[in-house]
Amino acid sequence: MLKVGVLGAGHLGKIHLRLLQQSDKYELVGFYDENQENAERISKEFGYKNFSTIAKLIHAVDVIDIVTPTLSHYKCAKVAIKSGKHIFIEKPIANTVAEAEEIIALAKEYNVKGQVGHVERFNPAFIATKNMIENPMFIETHRLAEFNPRGTDVPVVLDLMIHDIDAILSVVNSKVKDIHASGVSVISDTPDIANARIEFENGCVANLTASRISMKNMRKSRFFQKDAYISVDFLEKKCEVVRMKDAPEVPGDFDMILQNAEGVKKQIYFTNPDVEQNNAILDELESFAHAINTDTTPVVTLEQATDALRVAYKIIDCFDK
């Protein structure tokens, strides 16, 4: 069991603490939160050990789980890495691409592993369909959330859209060629609604929409590829695959047949892949333990998270043009 400590005991930090204590891959040593009043309250309520300084916590563990606000990710990661500790960082990896690149360089220099909390990679609906997503040529995503003051310290692209950016980059095997985007600030100082069009060198186009002032929550992605359409509902944890194949010469009464202008007939059939329910946050944390113990590559690397951040900032840069 790896000894782990958590930096940050806010809303998400408390979830990490609870799951790490349940895990049989980790031994939860304790946590540090700069708000000592909050830290003492959590320690008293749940029994987690509250460390008085970051340094003392880092010294006592093998792995540091960074669940602090994005602005402090780099500072926390730097201290942990220089102490030779493996790091799990909540998304986005850092506040700037330059900070993220330095985290990568430090991790290599000190020979430690790092993983970033792009939790949708562990969403059971995405896991159930990922192997079926082959060379998609058009992708459409909608990530809409009801307003929550938590998270409005960063643009909606870094708060919500980055989940979809990371998922898309994980299935499109091509470099980004061009980006067009627009964003609107409604209630925050930074955009609350954003739309981006990402064009890849292989011809794939991804259209992403994110909003944090919606009337209802929605997290859906659709992947279109030759002879198949794959729908993933990240919120409801459901998925559907619609495929086409050459129509039989004598169709059945209930077969769905399409015929194009050239007279080519295709049969449409639907499948709903089995979705194995899981706790995605627990799975991502335990997958990192597995990567450390087996000296293998983490599922979401520091480099992949930096690629997602780089695309996110290119989208944000479009807002000012």
Side-chain angles (χ1 to χ4, degrees):
M1 290 175 77
L2 294 162
K3 291 182 177 179
V4 65
V6 177
L7 292 182
H11 172 74
L12 192 55
K14 284 192 285 188
I15 294 171
H16 278 229
L17 283 164
R18 175 173 55 82
L19 294 173
L20 287 167
Q21 190 169 49
Q22 291 173 8
S23 173
D24 58 5
K25 303 279 192 296
Y26 291 101
E27 176 193 336
L28 178 62
V29 173
F31 74 101
Y32 170 81
D33 190 277
E34 66 177 9
N35 182 337
Q36 278 300 300
E37 194 178 316
N38 179 52
E40 285 166 16
R41 186 172 64 249
I42 290 168
S43 181
K44 195 174 180 181
E45 186 177 348
F46 300 103
Y48 310 131
K49 185 177 179 183
N50 168 27
F51 282 73
S52 58
T53 67
I54 289 178
K56 285 179 181 175
L57 176 63
I58 288 173
H59 182 71
V61 300
D62 308 307
V63 181
I64 284 289
D65 180 12
I66 301 168
V67 203
T68 59
T70 304
L71 288 170
S72 62
H73 284 187
Y74 166 70
K75 180 182 73 176
C76 295
K78 189 175 178 180
V79 174
I81 293 169
K82 285 190 170 184
S83 301
K85 310 300 178 179
H86 303 292
I87 54 162
F88 184 97
I89 315 178
E90 254 315 311
K91 65 84 197 165
I93 178 173
N95 190 47
T96 67
V97 173
E99 287 179 353
E101 288 173 341
E102 192 169 337
I103 290 171
I104 292 170
L106 284 168
K108 285 178 181 170
E109 183 184 344
Y110 287 87
N111 195 30
V112 299
K113 290 191 184 294
Q115 181 166 323
V116 180
H118 283 288
V119 71
E120 294 291 37
R121 295 269 207 108
F122 294 83
N123 188 298
F126 188 55
I127 290 170
T129 54
K130 192 173 180 190
N131 289 339
M132 301 175 192
I133 302 171
E134 299 169 352
N135 198 31
M137 294 312 290
F138 181 69
I139 302 168
E140 191 165 36
T141 73
H142 288 87
R143 186 167 294 260
L144 315 178
E146 294 172 7
F147 183 73
N148 183 343
R150 197 171 48 81
T152 54
D153 55 326
V154 294
V156 70
V157 176
L158 295 179
D159 182 28
L160 297 179
M161 190 184 281
I162 197 160
H163 282 295
D164 297 312
I165 295 169
D166 173 71
I168 288 168
L169 293 181
S170 77
V171 297
V172 178
N173 190 22
S174 179
K175 290 182 179 177
V176 172
K177 177 182 161 188
D178 202 7
I179 292 174
H180 303 275
S182 58
V184 180
S185 301
V186 178
I187 201 167
S188 315
D189 292 334
T190 58
D192 297 300
I193 303 172
N195 176 262
R197 176 187 168 92
I198 305 173
E199 297 174 13
F200 293 87
E201 289 180 356
N202 69 350
C204 176
V205 172
N207 189 38
L208 299 81
T209 301
S211 167
R212 58 184 173 204
I213 51 167
S214 179
M215 298 300 287
K216 63 175 184 177
N217 294 323
M218 178 194 286
R219 302 193 328 240
K220 286 185 178 178
S221 293
R222 301 192 257 303
F223 302 86
F224 297 85
Q225 60 198 44
K226 186 170 175 57
D227 293 338
Y229 154 73
I230 297 156
S231 171
V232 180
D233 189 326
F234 289 93
L235 185 62
E236 299 293 333
K237 297 178 173 57
K238 294 176 182 174
C239 54
E240 184 176 58
V241 179
V242 182
R243 291 192 184 279
M244 288 198 299
K245 62 182 179 182
D246 292 336
E249 284 190 21
V250 183
D253 291 343
F254 299 103
D255 288 349
M256 286 187 67
I257 308 295
L258 286 182
Q259 181 174 328
N260 66 14
E262 288 75 37
V264 177
K265 293 182 179 179
K266 293 279 187 179
Q267 180 183 352
I268 297 175
Y269 61 105
F270 300 81
T271 55
N272 293 93
D274 290 334
V275 177
E276 293 184 21
Q277 296 305 318
N278 68 342
N279 186 310
I281 297 175
L282 179 61
D283 280 5
E284 68 177 353
L285 290 165
E286 292 194 337
S287 80
F288 186 46
H290 177 76
I292 294 167
N293 288 328
T294 59
D295 193 22
T296 50
T297 304
V299 175
V300 184
T301 64
L302 301 174
E303 288 83 359
Q304 289 169 342
T306 301
D307 287 342
L309 186 66
R310 194 175 284 111
V311 170
Y313 269 111
K314 284 179 179 175
I315 290 169
I316 291 166
D317 288 344
C318 291
F319 299 161
D320 299 324
K321 291 177 182 177

